[in-house]
Amino acid sequence: MQTKIWGRLNGLVSMMWREVAKFGVVGGVAFIIDSGIYLWMLEGPMHDSEVKAKIVAGVVATMFSWVANRFWTFRHRRQANVVRELVMFLIMNAIGLGIAAACVWITKYWIGLTDTTSLFIAGSVVGLVLGTIFRFFAYRFWVFGAELDEEEAFAHDRELIGMGAETGSTAKIAAPAEPQQAQAESETAK
């Protein structure tokens, strides 16, 4: 069991390390944008509305992130339908932003910590880490993943993480062999 899990993790890392590095750079810049706007709003115009401030900061960072990921990180597999890609990106980011806002909400209303440092750590550290993990896999497999599934080098990537081969063009790879090839294989076996 551990060998199987380790094999999947190892395959996943080797398959995606370049994308993860680019995604990390985009995420780092988005973090600076998000954190800067969030801290500015906490000290200024939204000092009494921390959850809303986190959402506004997240929306600005999300728009930067979409442009940077579309034209740099995942540029080799942008979708032809830009509207669909943007809608999927916004849905996945809304979920990621909801994770960060929920961390702020839990910290303020459940735990009772209301100081700027605690709220910043909740939203821009814990929430951002959890949201980033979700976003990477969402972008990779749902937002920017359509064309990649058709490339031979990545044909089995969903199988590596246990998502199966029934989606995308990986189903074509699992199709039966051509009749002449099947006949030649059966004659060889005899």
Side-chain angles (χ1 to χ4, degrees):
M1 173 87 169
Q2 287 179 337
T3 306
K4 186 177 180 180
I5 292 171
W6 181 252
R8 284 184 178 179
L9 286 174
N10 198 10
L12 187 63
V13 169
S14 67
M15 175 184 66
M16 292 193 227
W17 73 273
R18 284 184 198 97
E19 287 177 346
V20 170
K22 288 179 180 181
F23 184 79
V25 170
V26 170
V29 175
F31 173 78
I32 292 168
I33 292 169
D34 181 279
S35 299
I37 292 172
Y38 184 52
L39 287 172
W40 172 70
M41 293 186 121
L42 284 179
E43 299 298 323
M46 293 186 143
H47 62 86
D48 60 339
S49 187
E50 297 85 358
V51 176
K52 288 179 186 173
K54 184 64 194 166
I55 291 170
V56 170
V59 167
V60 173
T62 294
M63 293 316 298
F64 162 79
S65 179
W66 179 64
V67 171
N69 280 308
R70 176 170 172 72
F71 292 102
W72 188 48
T73 307
F74 302 109
R75 73 178 179 271
H76 55 286
R77 57 184 142 112
R78 293 181 292 211
Q79 292 188 19
N81 186 342
V82 178
V83 174
R84 181 190 179 282
E85 180 185 276
L86 179 60
V87 168
M88 288 293 294
F89 189 87
L90 292 175
I91 289 169
M92 298 307 163
N93 269 283
I95 294 168
L97 182 56
I99 292 168
C103 290
V104 172
W105 189 86
I106 288 168
T107 301
K108 182 175 182 179
Y109 296 108
W110 278 8
I111 300 172
L113 299 173
T114 58
D115 60 290
T116 303
T117 303
S118 298
L119 295 172
F120 177 80
I121 290 171
S124 293
V125 177
V126 176
L128 207 58
V129 167
L130 295 175
T132 298
I133 292 167
F134 169 78
R135 283 182 186 103
F136 177 78
F137 288 101
Y139 296 170
R140 169 59 188 84
F141 290 103
W142 295 301
V143 178
F144 298 109
E147 280 89 26
L148 188 69
D149 291 338
E150 296 173 9
E151 293 178 24
E152 183 62 34
F154 298 97
H156 301 287
D157 62 346
R158 291 180 187 266
E159 294 169 19
L160 282 172
I161 60 169
M163 289 180 68
E166 64 276 351
T167 60
S169 65
T170 55
K172 293 182 223 169
I173 294 170
E178 295 294 319
Q180 294 89 4
Q181 183 182 359
Q183 183 180 4
E185 289 175 0
S186 66
E187 290 176 4
T188 306
K190 290 180 184 178

